[in-house]
Amino acid sequence: MHRIECFKAADSYVKQNAREAGLLAPQVVLTVDRTLASEYGGSIFLGFAACAPRIIPDFLYRLFLCPPVKAREHMAVAAPAGTRKMEAALLEAGIDVVVAHPEHLEEVIDEDTEVVGITSNDPRGFGPASSTFSSLLGRKTFSALFFERTVQRAREILDSNGGGKLIAGGPGAWQLEDEEVLDEYGIDCVIIGEGEITGVEIVKRALRGESIPRVVHGAMVPLERIPNIRHRTIGGLVEISRGCGRGCRFCLPNLRVLRSRPLQRILEEVEVNLREGAEGACLHAEDVFRYGAKGPIPDENKVLQLFDGVSKLTPNVGVSHFAFASVVCKPDLVRKITELLDSRGSGSPWYSGQVGIETASPELVRRHMPGKPLPFKPEQWSEVVIKAHEILAENRWVPCSTLISGLPSETPKDVELTIELVERLREFKSLIVPLFFVPIGQLRGGQFFLKEQMLPEHWKLLAACIEHNFQWVPKLAEENLRNRIQKFFIKEVVLRSFQRRLREPLKLMKEGIDPTDGVSHASVPGLPLWKPSTYQSHVHPQCTRCR
């Protein structure tokens, strides 16, 4: 078996060199939609701009919010971590594969290309953030627009070169689980979920000329079969764990077993990124503070070993997600991590990550997310959130939190409790992003929550979040954005424009009145209802692993 693997690796190496010499075209080309081919000016959380409706011209979005990564010989110098994992899995299987820049597909795809794979976080704009803003403003998101353009262009180029299979995947693949939708985009197959095993098998079948199913659900990949990336990821993102296990009914990663990757494998991936030009490392998990944990309580030693090992390679270490419950049950952990990173010369004004509040209602927590507060109780959730903010503020951490409006069985009283919590958080430097409920996870097959269903309390909650963010965004942009032109554009153009346009609507929202009532704008197609079969298995729609 070892000899066979050696032959595969040698064959892949020879093909790679031949391709670089211009002697061989790739069998498989992976790419991404244009919103994912960016490092967002060094601020990975600006990637959420892809969830915004198209309210500014494309050229301004590309220039200031989503500047493209460089292309080297038509290949993307950095790509989403999920794309890089698939690239590595295919290479380990002896398959000739490259990751092409989405703006250079014509130069890469030719008559020898048999499969094109496209990664997307939010192909139809149906993710929680996208559906929220689309419903409010009645316009398609940048993510939906750029996916449509990329997939159509890839289909055209494939067909002009004799045809080939077009396969879609990524965190937003669940939005494509409808054969009519696949036909509309010209996609032959969509892979939903983890792809390092199932995706490789589908590609092998396509290369052999066999038929492939339209919709495939990826098998869970054992730790030992998760490959190391071969090339640089967007933002230096490195996956440290998969799954969560807290059991939130609206989120599938929480239904999967938490699997933490060995520290040595993580460090090897950090080294790959740094060697190819990454400026630091962004550690990704559903809750970075539970790296190596066996239950809801963080294993402090393993987490500190992780940060110690990574910060020896680069002082610039960030995280993608963490949990408030983890912060509160190990209050010294955040302080120790901060002191460690500061001692290594980080120089960061603050550290940040995405985290979910979702609701302040004990009843909704008990019904839909009973594992979220653990080891605390649902009725303690609001105080856990407040205490976590206190700990984070003391140690220069800035949480970017999400709320969910429209959870099944939500009452006006539930929303009022959440408003009270948001108002108590006003003093803490943070961002709070209100999202509309999207029926995924155990709640798949239900109805999207839309603007038309908003209660007066929902409008008041939205107003409270907007005021909170208006208070803190200018300071955060000033402290965090390194590109002066980008900083000016966001502070003086985008933010001032929003403040000006929302001044009068905000007054109405604070009174619980729909400020869009009677305003005519284009509807967003496809949102109201999904077929029950639409939701099966997917990666978290907001997860930054594939960014």
Side-chain angles (χ1 to χ4, degrees):
M1 180 64 70
H2 178 68
R3 183 175 297 177
I4 293 174
E5 295 302 319
C6 287
F7 278 129
K8 286 182 178 179
D11 182 58
S12 179
Y13 176 78
V14 169
K15 288 179 178 178
Q16 178 74 16
N17 285 330
R19 182 175 60 252
E20 292 176 355
L23 302 175
L24 184 67
Q27 288 178 294
V28 179
V29 174
L30 302 181
T31 192
V32 298
D33 74 64
R34 176 60 182 78
T35 64
L36 299 184
S38 175
E39 298 199 272
Y40 317 106
S43 179
I44 197 168
F45 291 105
L46 273 183
F48 277 97
C51 303
R54 187 176 177 270
I55 57 175
I56 62 173
D58 288 0
F59 81 93
L60 290 179
Y61 173 77
R62 293 168 181 263
L63 184 62
F64 295 112
L65 298 179
C66 191
V69 296
K70 294 180 179 179
R72 184 177 297 120
E73 296 181 353
H74 311 301
M75 307 304 164
V77 298
T83 306
R84 290 302 194 197
K85 289 291 186 183
M86 276 304 302
E87 174 191 36
L90 291 167
L91 287 172
E92 287 190 4
I95 295 171
D96 187 31
V97 58
V98 297
V99 177
H101 195 291
E103 295 177 344
H104 293 252
L105 296 181
E106 290 88 347
E107 290 81 10
V108 182
I109 301 171
D110 66 10
E111 64 274 6
D112 293 320
T113 304
E114 299 179 52
V115 175
V116 172
I118 298 181
T119 299
S120 179
N121 275 12
D122 193 21
R124 301 178 70 195
F126 289 177
S130 299
S131 62
T132 301
F133 303 129
S134 288
S135 180
L136 289 171
L137 297 178
R139 299 187 184 187
K140 276 189 176 183
T141 63
F142 282 106
S143 60
L145 289 166
F146 280 99
F147 175 78
E148 184 177 316
R149 294 173 189 174
T150 304
V151 76
Q152 287 180 352
R153 189 65 189 132
R155 181 76 270 169
E156 290 171 0
I157 299 170
L158 267 176
D159 290 346
S160 68
N161 282 283
K165 299 297 184 183
L166 186 58
I167 301 175
W174 59 277
Q175 300 176 23
L176 302 170
E177 192 184 358
D178 184 314
E179 291 196 16
E180 291 182 4
V181 172
L182 295 178
D183 289 339
E184 178 183 340
Y185 285 111
I187 297 171
D188 296 290
C189 172
V190 60
I191 300 171
I192 302 169
E194 299 180 32
E196 291 96 337
I197 294 176
T198 307
V200 171
E201 291 305 312
I202 292 297
V203 170
K204 285 181 176 179
R205 287 175 59 176
L207 293 176
R208 291 194 297 263
E210 300 174 6
S211 64
I212 58 176
R214 301 300 304 278
V215 178
V216 181
H217 295 279
M220 183 181 293
V221 182
L223 270 178
E224 64 275 9
R225 294 193 62 181
I226 298 176
N228 271 17
I229 60 171
R230 305 291 186 90
H231 297 290
R232 178 178 151 197
T233 61
I234 295 291
L237 200 83
V238 172
E239 182 182 42
I240 66 170
S241 301
R242 283 191 190 179
C244 173
R246 285 190 180 270
C248 298
R249 297 179 66 218
F250 49 78
C251 182
L252 268 172
N254 290 321
L255 305 180
R256 296 181 296 171
V257 177
L258 175 64
R259 293 158 287 159
S260 295
R261 303 188 69 221
L263 178 56
Q264 184 56 40
R265 302 271 281 178
I266 294 169
L267 297 179
E268 289 168 358
E269 292 201 347
V270 173
E271 290 176 333
V272 168
N273 277 319
L274 295 174
R275 188 165 57 246
E276 296 197 358
E279 296 182 359
C282 180
L283 306 180
H284 171 69
E286 301 301 325
D287 179 3
V288 168
F289 296 153
R290 284 179 62 220
Y291 171 75
K294 300 300 182 184
I297 299 176
D299 186 322
E300 190 168 309
N301 289 333
K302 288 188 177 179
V303 175
L304 291 174
Q305 287 173 8
L306 169 68
F307 278 87
D308 179 62
V310 175
S311 63
K312 286 178 179 176
L313 299 175
T314 173
N316 302 318
V317 182
V319 307
S320 65
H321 300 72
F322 60 89
F324 287 131
S326 297
V327 171
V328 176
C329 70
K330 287 287 185 178
D332 286 338
L333 180 56
V334 174
R335 175 182 59 80
K336 292 176 180 178
I337 292 172
T338 304
E339 291 175 351
L340 175 63
L341 295 181
D342 287 349
S343 71
R344 296 279 161 82
S346 167
S348 176
W350 37 264
Y351 304 98
S352 185
Q354 185 185 333
V355 58
I357 298 174
E358 321 313 6
T359 180
S361 164
E363 179 56 35
L364 290 180
V365 171
R366 188 177 295 108
R367 181 171 300 181
H368 297 301
M369 54 195 93
K372 197 172 192 66
L374 291 176
F376 306 100
K377 297 178 180 179
E379 53 267 26
Q380 297 175 291
W381 178 235
S382 288
E383 295 309 314
V384 168
V385 172
I386 294 292
K387 182 62 178 177
H389 276 76
E390 293 173 354
I391 295 169
L392 293 166
E394 290 171 0
N395 294 282
R396 306 193 337 272
W397 282 69
V398 178
C400 178
S401 302
T402 57
L403 300 173
I404 299 178
S405 291
L407 282 164
S409 73
E410 184 180 58
T411 67
K413 179 61 179 176
D414 294 325
V415 185
E416 288 172 359
L417 290 172
T418 305
I419 294 171
E420 292 173 9
L421 177 58
V422 170
E423 291 173 345
R424 292 177 67 189
L425 296 175
R426 181 70 64 87
E427 66 181 282
F428 300 104
K429 186 189 294 185
S430 58
L431 295 176
I432 303 176
V433 183
L435 305 175
F436 286 176
F437 169 70
V438 171
I440 52 181
Q442 294 181 32
L443 302 176
R444 64 183 180 269
Q447 187 173 9
F448 279 84
F449 184 75
L450 300 174
K451 177 181 73 69
E452 290 73 20
Q453 299 164 295
M454 291 178 70
L455 303 171
E457 290 78 10
H458 287 124
W459 287 111
K460 292 178 181 180
L461 174 59
L462 181 58
C465 293
I466 290 173
E467 289 190 326
H468 178 99
N469 294 333
F470 277 171
Q471 175 179 331
W472 291 113
V473 166
K475 187 172 182 61
L476 294 172
E478 180 64 33
E479 294 174 342
N480 184 54
L481 295 177
R482 294 169 294 177
N483 184 302
R484 286 183 296 176
I485 298 176
Q486 185 184 49
K487 183 186 298 186
F488 175 84
F489 178 75
I490 290 175
K491 288 181 61 180
E492 303 301 327
V493 179
V494 176
L495 185 60
R496 286 186 183 277
S497 175
F498 270 104
Q499 288 175 325
R500 184 175 61 256
R501 293 184 182 186
L502 289 175
R503 188 175 294 119
E504 294 305 317
L506 196 56
K507 294 177 182 177
L508 295 174
M509 285 189 271
K510 292 172 71 172
E511 297 297 322
I513 299 171
D514 177 358
T516 69
D517 190 26
V519 176
S520 176
H521 50 51
S523 61
V524 180
L527 275 178
L529 281 171
W530 281 90
K531 301 174 184 176
S533 62
T534 297
Y535 298 99
Q536 298 292 334
S537 173
H538 69 287
V539 186
H540 196 298
Q542 296 184 125
C543 171
T544 56
R545 176 161 66 90
C546 295
R547 289 191 182 274

